[in-house]
Amino acid sequence: MTEITPLDHDALAKLDADFKVCDHNHMAMNAVTAAGIDKVARNYDRARLLQRRFSTVVDNGTATHQDRSGRCWLFSSLNVARFVAKKNMGLKEFEFSQNYAMYYDKLERVNYFLKDMAALIEAGEPADSRLVQHLLHDVMGDGGQWTMAMNVYKKYGAVPKDLFPETESSKNTGEMNTQLRRMLHTAVAHMYADPASIGSVIASATAAGHRILTIHLGEPPKSFDWEWTDQDGEFHRDGEITPVEFWNKYVGSADLESYVCLVDDPRQEHAKGRKIGIEHLGNVAGGDPTEYLNVPNRFMKDCVRRILEEQGIPVWFGADCHPMMDRENGAWATDLFEYGKVYDVDFDLDKEARVRYADSAMNHAMAFVGVDVADDGHTTRRWRVENSWGDKIADKGYFTMSDDWFTEYVYEVAVPKALLPDAYLRALEEPAQMLPAWDPMGALAR
């Protein structure tokens, strides 16, 4: 058995000597200490040759900004929805209230978490078990999934942004989340201390969660008067309408709630064409479970291409956004940075190994709004992406993704059931293979 031995003086001296005898190391150190690794490792030829033109583009207007929050999954799903709403209302620019969606997502998560923990406590799950500790550490983050967003919109609808605008806490969620987390940790401690009081603890904590959210985010409207002037200058008035009625009237035609989440889980033990789910992952109790159909990455690309070309609507997706990203110029390509050449390190993990060894997981959600397709009509070459990081970076907030980057780092897309072959439709009717709460396929977009 290998022992954990000290890094002794002789070993350290050899490391120092080996570093000094290589001129490349000195040049790399001089460059990186002065300019930073990304500027030094940036592949100049790849960056300049990555085209920003596409055979199909869906114009979705001004890029949105999630600020210092992890609400990308809400922003991106509402960016898909706003495209539909703009078309139905004849508007060039429109934005839904992401604050409204977050308010009810977090309120529902308070209830979901408390009821989930109560069931575990009543079943005898120890407080120091891996599961309970994972749930305690993960509670009240901002991240989420497409299905979780649809659960919120189906139950609570949506409102225009100017009727429930951003607050200091919606734009910078850290302190609010800390207080919610402390409150829920306290509630769990009280439930463990006195299991007979679980019902009263849940009621008290739910009320506290509602107070905290309303203090930080404001009181969301139950109904509102809606009127607007379309892009042709024509005035319209709906009168009083509820958020659910508003959603159903202006977004319901797209039937986004019935979309299926396709995922590319590259691990060999998880068969393609089978449905998978994550234990204890959800937000709205009684809503649709967070499940995915595991499919080849190529099938995901074909679905996205068809939606963009045939339906002309943005497509929600989740990816590991950090590797090989030029944030300022708005680009992703697998060879955009040559870190290995700077460090003389061989970063040789494939997609399966990166997932298995915690090097990669889905962490950000965006929307595809364009694709460039080769003359054969099927081969995809690059993708246009609507991000939610504002319009001061990239191409006014829109990014370009190479097709090989899609292969390596895109994990999930939401698509209509109508695009699925019969074998996949049958798979949706089968029970999901449930994975533990800490499985990398349960990673949330933030």
Side-chain angles (χ1 to χ4, degrees), residues 258 260 306 311 415-421 425:
S258 69
V260 176
R306 289 184 58 190
Q311 302 179 26
V415 307
K417 283 184 180 179
L419 294 181
L420 304 185
L425 290 174

Side-chain angles (χ1 to χ4, degrees), residues 393-409:
I393 59 172
D395 179 12
K396 298 182 178 178
Y398 288 81
F399 281 58
T400 297
M401 175 193 299
S402 69
D403 194 68
D404 59 349
W405 197 94
F406 188 129
T407 303
E408 295 296 326
Y409 297 108

Side-chain angles (χ1 to χ4, degrees), residues 86 128 189 235 392:
K86 286 192 297 183
D128 60 354
F235 180 78
K392 305 302 182 187

Side-chain angles (χ1 to χ4, degrees), residues 369-380:
V369 291
V371 60
D372 187 64
V373 181
D375 292 342
D376 63 9
H378 298 284
T379 303
T380 50

Side-chain angles (χ1 to χ4, degrees), residues 141-171:
D142 290 341
Q145 288 276 358
W146 171 268
T147 304
M148 296 163 71
M150 293 303 119
N151 282 337
V152 172
Y153 309 145
K154 281 193 286 187
K155 186 169 183 178
Y156 295 102
V159 302
K161 188 162 190 170
D162 58 351
L163 296 178
F164 198 59
E166 297 285 271
T167 70
E168 183 61 30
S169 294
S170 71
K171 293 185 292 185

Side-chain angles (χ1 to χ4, degrees), residues 106-171:
K106 287 192 178 293
L107 182 60
E108 286 285 345
R109 284 201 212 201
V110 168
N111 174 70
Y112 189 101
F113 174 80
L114 291 169
K115 302 289 178 60
D116 193 24
M117 290 301 307
L120 290 172
I121 293 168
E122 291 169 345
E125 187 75 23
D128 60 354
S129 73
R130 181 180 183 181
L131 175 58
V132 169
Q133 289 299 307
H134 172 81
L135 297 177
L136 289 171
H137 282 284
D138 200 47
V139 67
M140 277 303 130
D142 290 341
Q145 288 276 358
W146 171 268
T147 304
M148 296 163 71
M150 293 303 119
N151 282 337
V152 172
Y153 309 145
K154 281 193 286 187
K155 186 169 183 178
Y156 295 102
V159 302
K161 188 162 190 170
D162 58 351
L163 296 178
F164 198 59
E166 297 285 271
T167 70
E168 183 61 30
S169 294
S170 71
K171 293 185 292 185

Side-chain angles (χ1 to χ4, degrees), residues 19 61 71 79 105 114 134 137 214-215 227 237 250 254 281 334 347 354 418 431-433:
F19 183 90
R71 297 174 292 164
N79 283 340
D105 168 64
L114 291 169
H134 172 81
H137 282 284
T214 307
I215 288 169
E227 51 196 32
R237 179 182 287 120
Y250 294 111
L281 178 59
T334 58
F347 296 108
R354 287 195 299 269
Q433 176 188 3

